[in-house]
Amino acid sequence: MPISNAQIAKVFYRIAELLDIKGENPFKVRAYEKAALVVESLSEPIEKIYQEGRLMQVPGIGKSIADKIGELIETGKLSYLEELESSIPAGVVELLKIPEVGPKTAWLVYKELGIKSIEELEEAAKEGKLRVLPGLGPKTEENILKGIERLRRFGERVPLGIALPFARQVVEWLKERAPIDKIEPAGSLRRRRETIGDIDILVTSTNHLEVMDAFVSLPIVREVLAQGETKTSVITDMGIQMDVRVVEPDCFGAALQYFTGSKEHNIHLRKIAQDMGLKISEYGVFRGDERIAGRTEEEVYNTLGLPYIPPELREDRGEIEAAKEGKLPHLVEFKDIRGDLHIHTKHSDGHFTIREMALAGKRMGYEYIGIADHTKGLGVAAGMNEEEILREKEEIERLNEEIEGITILAGVEVNIKMDGTLDIDEEVLDQLDFVIASVHSAFKQPKDVMTERICRAMEREVVDILGHPTGRLIGKRDAYEVDGEKLIDEALRTKTILEINAFPDRMDLPDILCRAAKVKRAKFAINTDAHSIDQLNLIEYGVATARRGWLEKEDIVNCLPVEELLKLFKKK
Ligand code: DGT
Ligand code: CA
Ligand code: CA
Ligand code: ZN
C-alpha cells in the first residue's frame, strides 16, 4: 500500500488536532505536529526509509512515532487515530469545519457550555453566551456566525471568484516581503475548479524562515495552525485555509505537479510510473534511488512518456489517455478571444455608457464588443422596451462612426417568458446584430416545463445565443431543473449558440456540460455579462470553464473575426 510523506504527515496533523481539542498535554500535541513536519520535510520517501529500517535514525522520530508510521505503511490505517476519533463527540470535531473555530475554541465551548453541534454553537453565539469565556468576545461571536453562514452557503468551499484574487494578493505580498524565486498557487485553484477547499502555494527561496515569517505576519492571517520550515498552514480572515510550502528548486516541478493534483490524476500517473518501473512523488520521478526528473512539470510528464498536460484537464477524465495518444485538445486561451458579447450599460442595469464600455473593450485588445442590455420584462434591471432598443441601436451606429479600432455590435438580452415566448417583438429583434435569450424568472418550474420553455425559445430564428443556460448561482442558487442533454441537442438542431457566462458565481454552462456539448459539436460564446468596466476582466473565468470543458478556439464563436461572426448570426 504505497503512501506518501504528505499523507502520513496529514495523519499526524489530524492526531495533533484531536489531542488539542481534548485539551491534552501541549507537549504531546506539539510532538505530533513536529513529527508531521519532520515527515513532510524529508527529502526522500519515508517508505524507503522504513523498508531499510532507518526510521529511528531520523531526528525527531522516536519509537512511538516510528511504530505508527510502520502501521500506516503496512495497513494504510492507524488504530490510534481511529480510537481518538471515536473518543470525541462527532459534533465537536464538526465544529472545526467552521473556519473561525480552532481546536481550542471547540474544546472550550464543549467543556464550558456543553456545545457539541454547529446549531448549538450558533444559538449560543446569537444569545451572546460565548463572550463570557476566556479569550472570546462579541467580535468572536460575530465572526463565528459569519463563518457558520458561509459554511451553509458554500459547504466548506469558497467560490473560485473569491479564492483566486485572494491567492494572487497573497502571492504579491509574499514577493514584496521575502526573498522568493518561484511562487505558484497549486491545488484546485490552479486547476480552476469552480469552488476551492483550501489554497496551496508553492515557493522556492534561499531563505525558508523569512518566507514563513512573512506569511504568518500577513494581515489576512487569523490563526496559525502550524508553522514549520517547509510547510506553514494558516486560517485566513476569509475563513479559508492556506498552506505555503517551500520546496527545493530541484523538486519544484514535481511538487507543483503533485500539489496541483487532482488526487485522481496523480493516482493514475503513479500507476503509469509503476508500470515503467519508476516511482513518482512530490520530490520527483525516481529510478531506484536516482532522481530522473523533478525540476519542471514538463520534465515530469515527459519522463513518463507524456506531453505536458494543462492543469485544467487534470481530473482523470480521459486526459492521460488522450495525452498518450497525442490527442490532447489545444485549449482556448484569452488571446484567442476577439470580443465579449454580453455587456450591460446604463440603458439597463449597467454602470457605464456604451462609449465607456467600448473604449474599455478596446483597451482589452478586443476587435468587437456586443451590447446586450436587459429587456422590459426584467423590471428590477430597468429593462428596455422596443422603442428604447431601437434608439440604443441608433446610438451604437453613431458611435461606430466615431470610435476607431473596435466595432460595437447591437444586441439585447431578451427574457424567455414562462411559456417560452420572448418579451420583445420579433420584428424589432430581427433588426439587431444578435440576440441573447435568457431565463430570469419562474425558476421553480418542473423539469419538463422548463426544458420545453427553453427549447421553444431556441426555436425562434431571432435567438442567436442561449444566455447562462442552467441559471445556477454557485453557492447561492442551484441550477433550475432542466434536461441538460435535451438542451444541448436542441441547441444543435436549432443552431443556437450556448453561452459560457464567465461571471464567477455563474460559470454557466458548467465545465462538464461544456464537454458534453463539445462532443456533439455545439458552438459556444464566452461572455462576461459585465455591468462595469472592471468586470470585463472576468472573462478569464469563462476561459477557465471552457478549458476545463476541453474547448478549443474553433468551438467558440467569439474567437471569430467580426465579419464571420455576423455571417454566423445571420445564418440561423
Ligand atoms: P480542494 O482543496 O479540496 O479544493 O482540492 P485540492 O485538489 O486542492 O486538494 P488538496 O488541497 O487536498 O490537495 C492538493 C493536492 O495534493 C491534490 O490536488 C493532489 C495532492 N494530494 C493530496 N492528497 C493526496 C493523496 O492522498 N494522494 C495523491 N496522489 N495526491 C494527493
Ligand atoms: Ca487545495
Ligand atoms: Ca491543501
Ligand atoms: Zn442574464
Side-chain angles (χ1 to χ4, degrees), residues 337-569:
I337 305 287
R338 295 184 192 234
D340 183 337
L341 297 172
H342 190 157
I343 290 174
H344 294 274
T345 73
K346 281 187 168 169
H347 288 290
S348 61
D349 57 350
H351 305 302
F352 292 86
T353 61
I354 302 175
R355 177 199 303 275
E356 286 166 326
M357 294 308 280
L359 293 176
K362 191 173 154 182
R363 285 196 295 277
M364 301 271 299
Y366 289 150
E367 286 174 34
Y368 50 85
I369 59 161
I371 303 298
D373 274 310
H374 288 293
T375 55
K376 61 189 175 191
L378 206 58
V380 287
M384 297 181 298
N385 61 29
E386 280 80 357
E387 206 184 303
E388 291 164 320
I389 291 171
L390 291 174
R391 247 186 289 147
E392 183 173 41
K393 181 180 178 256
E394 279 168 26
E395 186 185 341
I396 289 174
E397 280 164 7
R398 277 199 310 276
L399 286 167
N400 271 328
E401 296 285 315
E402 184 196 319
I403 300 173
E404 297 287 308
I406 188 156
T407 303
I408 310 168
L409 305 180
V412 283
E413 182 181 16
V414 67
N415 296 303
I416 302 176
K417 295 200 286 189
M418 281 183 65
D419 60 357
T421 59
L422 308 175
D423 73 343
I424 293 292
D425 186 355
E426 286 197 21
E427 268 175 45
V428 169
L429 295 178
D430 206 28
Q431 298 176 48
L432 300 173
D433 292 320
F434 71 102
V435 171
I436 301 177
S438 307
V439 169
H440 288 126
S441 61
F443 301 112
K444 295 234 149 51
Q445 286 178 331
K447 189 169 182 173
D448 52 336
V449 177
M450 181 62 90
T451 308
E452 197 46 44
R453 169 187 182 184
I454 298 174
C455 290
R456 201 165 157 208
M458 289 197 289
E459 199 76 66
R460 309 311 307 156
E461 253 172 59
V462 290
V463 171
D464 299 291
I465 300 175
L466 176 63
H468 40 76
T470 79
R472 70 167 179 176
L473 292 177
I474 296 167
K476 292 183 206 138
R477 182 177 78 206
D478 286 339
Y480 31 71
E481 296 282 332
V482 70
D483 182 341
E485 286 293 319
K486 174 103 191 282
L487 221 133
I488 293 167
D489 289 338
E490 285 301 291
L492 274 165
R493 195 179 61 75
T494 60
K495 296 201 170 65
T496 307
I497 297 154
L498 295 167
E499 180 176 70
I500 300 173
N501 191 296
F503 227 78
D505 53 2
R506 290 193 184 273
M507 296 175 75
D508 180 14
L509 273 188
D511 51 13
I512 305 254
L513 285 178
C514 286
R515 178 123 181 249
K518 183 201 159 92
V519 170
K520 296 181 171 172
R521 297 174 179 278
K523 289 287 175 207
F524 306 84
I526 304 178
N527 296 331
T528 58
D529 206 344
H531 288 65
S532 70
I533 288 175
D534 281 344
Q535 287 175 358
L536 289 173
N537 291 312
L538 299 177
I539 194 81
E540 79 165 299
Y541 296 93
V543 173
T545 303
R547 289 169 66 86
R548 286 183 57 83
W550 292 52
L551 301 195
E552 304 173 281
K553 74 171 182 212
E554 290 73 21
D555 304 313
I556 291 153
V557 301
N558 48 327
C559 293
L560 291 172
V562 70
E563 317 80 52
E564 283 180 48
L565 179 66
L566 287 172
K567 251 189 251 160
L568 191 80
F569 286 149

Side-chain angles (χ1 to χ4, degrees), residues 16-29:
E17 185 178 68
L18 295 175
L19 290 173
D20 207 359
I21 292 181
K22 290 186 85 171
E24 288 268 352
N25 181 343
F27 290 103
K28 195 168 165 190
V29 176

Side-chain angles (χ1 to χ4, degrees), residues 150-170:
R150 180 184 285 279
L151 185 65
R152 295 219 171 107
R153 261 196 300 153
F154 299 124
E156 291 148 75
R157 308 181 65 81
V158 168
L160 180 66
I162 293 175
L164 184 59
F166 186 62
R168 283 181 177 151
Q169 174 64 260
V170 169

